[in-house]
Amino acid sequence: MPKRALITGITGQDGSYLAELLLEQGYEVVGMVRRTSNLNVSRLVGIMDQIHLASGDLLDEASIISALNKWRPNEVYNLAAQSFVTTSWDQAVFTGEATALGVTRMLDAIRVVDPEIRYYQASSSEMFGKVRETPQNELTPFYPRSPYGVAKVYGHWITVNYRESYGLHASSGILFNHESPRRGLEFVTRKISHGVARIKLGLDHKLSLGNLDAKRDWGYAGDYVKAMWGMLQQEVADDFVVATGTTHSVREFCEIAFARVGLNWEDHVVVDKRFFRPAEVDLLIGNPEKAKTALGWVPKVGFAELVEMMVDSDLEQLSR
């Protein structure tokens, strides 16, 4: 019998890469999706005929229990969330419902249906926020700086709590920023790569951005989902920082992206105060030693290669 995995957020960047990885490993893959009139499966185009979709919503525990009962997965990967930091200030309560309490509903459903299910929680480097130490590891105290970060801290600790209280095999991956050509256009990295492609093709001349000095530890999403899978193969559940251990500014991202198409970023980038956060996270850089040692995980795609991959992909898409 092949292993069966249920993925929430399967239509997102990480969900699509994880689904592909699990299919390669011989899994049967079920994606839990909300019943909406405009389900966007564009990231799953190449694998739609190989996966199953199950109806379920993190705001509705009964629907989660129903999906778990029907599909009886060996592993659950909870990647669904209101995951855009900027939106979390405008929709703080919804962010809490989906990104925080949604985790409790899922863990509770697993406890009720089958406590043997192995569970992965998508934690976030945004939990570190106003960082207490650099680089950040699994023991660094949290100081979130957005409703999204606060909700992720709740999701993280409730996962630890259910692991310790009920003996669930529940692990959290504290993932630092990870990007790809499948990143949503609302995220700054994709906004840049897409903007560069539009400018190169003469569709735009300017690109408006916020804080160019913000620094992040950026990796490739295709690498990071391998760490997620690795966590659920461990004998004992635990929490792991997944990061590259290097940091780059938004300005550096712009430099490489524009250089890829033979342009000078300073001729096109405009700083717009509207895109600054109410409370900024200035420097995030992770220490991935524990993941490297315990999981044997090493990121393969470097920063410059990632930026160029994204620009090339957007150029190709827009040219078509």
Side-chain angles (χ1 to χ4, degrees):
M1 281 283 289
K3 274 189 184 175
R4 185 179 291 158
L6 183 140
I7 304 171
T8 73
I10 194 170
T11 59
Q13 168 187 259
D14 293 7
S16 64
Y17 281 112
L18 178 62
E20 289 170 4
L21 173 70
L22 294 177
L23 288 171
E24 286 167 16
Q25 303 278 2
Y27 280 67
E28 188 177 353
V29 174
V30 181
M32 193 180 92
V33 293
R34 283 180 299 167
R35 278 281 164 257
T36 59
S37 55
N38 59 343
L39 183 64
N40 179 5
V41 294
S42 59
R43 295 180 178 97
L44 301 171
V45 165
I47 56 169
M48 272 304 284
D49 59 341
Q50 300 171 63
I51 62 174
H52 310 281
L53 295 182
S55 180
D57 193 326
L58 290 180
L59 303 187
D60 177 5
E61 189 170 332
S63 72
I64 302 171
I65 290 173
S66 175
L68 293 178
N69 267 322
K70 179 179 179 182
W71 291 99
R72 292 286 169 171
N74 306 97
E75 299 172 359
V76 167
Y77 296 84
N78 185 35
L79 311 185
Q82 189 303 99
S83 59
F84 188 40
V85 175
T86 307
T87 301
S88 75
W89 274 284
D90 298 327
Q91 300 183 16
V93 174
F94 173 70
T95 299
E97 281 288 350
T99 308
L101 290 177
V103 182
T104 314
R105 294 185 190 104
M106 177 59 82
L107 287 164
D108 226 32
I110 287 171
R111 185 173 67 85
V112 168
V113 174
D114 179 6
E116 295 303 306
I117 291 172
R118 295 192 171 198
Y119 175 79
Y120 171 82
Q121 169 60 20
S123 288
S124 166
S125 60
E126 289 285 335
M127 301 189 305
F128 296 121
K130 191 174 182 179
V131 297
R132 307 283 85 187
E133 63 183 10
T134 301
Q136 294 90 51
N137 63 31
E138 293 79 7
L139 300 177
T140 301
F142 300 136
Y143 193 145
R145 297 273 279 171
S146 65
Y148 170 77
V150 172
K152 279 292 185 185
V153 170
Y154 176 96
H156 180 83
W157 281 119
I158 202 69
T159 301
V160 173
N161 188 261
Y162 270 60
R163 177 169 76 216
E164 295 178 351
S165 302
Y166 301 113
L168 297 185
H169 192 295
S171 296
S172 280
I174 306 174
L175 270 58
F176 280 65
N177 293 60
H178 47 290
E179 317 297 322
S180 76
R182 299 180 195 173
R183 193 57 142 152
L185 283 166
E186 67 272 24
F187 292 87
V188 68
T189 49
R190 182 74 196 290
K191 185 179 175 182
I192 294 169
S193 66
H194 192 256
V196 166
R198 286 185 62 85
I199 290 167
K200 179 62 178 176
L201 296 171
L203 301 171
D204 272 332
H205 184 63
K206 294 294 180 192
L207 175 62
S208 296
L209 297 171
N211 182 7
L212 300 182
D213 296 315
K215 291 185 172 178
R216 294 290 185 273
D217 183 328
W218 274 304
Y220 171 51
D223 287 337
Y224 283 37
V225 296
K226 293 172 185 168
M228 298 177 186
W229 174 76
M231 288 176 215
L232 296 201
Q233 312 318 307
Q234 301 304 299
E235 196 72 32
V236 179
D238 205 351
D239 306 322
F240 296 89
V241 163
V242 181
T244 68
T246 59
T247 187
H248 300 275
S249 66
V250 175
R251 183 179 279 100
E252 284 177 77
F253 200 106
C254 289
E255 286 171 3
I256 295 170
F258 278 95
R260 181 65 171 175
V261 296
L263 297 173
N264 179 3
W265 72 276
E266 289 173 292
D267 296 336
H268 302 281
V269 172
V270 179
V271 174
D272 187 334
K273 295 287 186 195
R274 285 179 307 157
F275 297 117
F276 280 66
R277 295 180 178 186
E280 183 54 88
V281 173
D282 296 313
L283 174 62
L284 290 173
I285 175 169
N287 177 355
E289 281 312 308
K290 183 175 170 183
K292 287 180 176 177
T293 305
L295 309 178
W297 178 82
V298 181
K300 300 280 199 318
V301 177
F303 178 67
E305 187 185 346
L306 171 64
V307 178
E308 291 173 351
M309 174 201 301
M310 291 177 69
V311 172
D312 292 351
S313 171
D314 278 324
L315 259 180
E316 187 195 333
Q317 276 187 42
L318 287 167
S319 298
R320 281 208 301 268

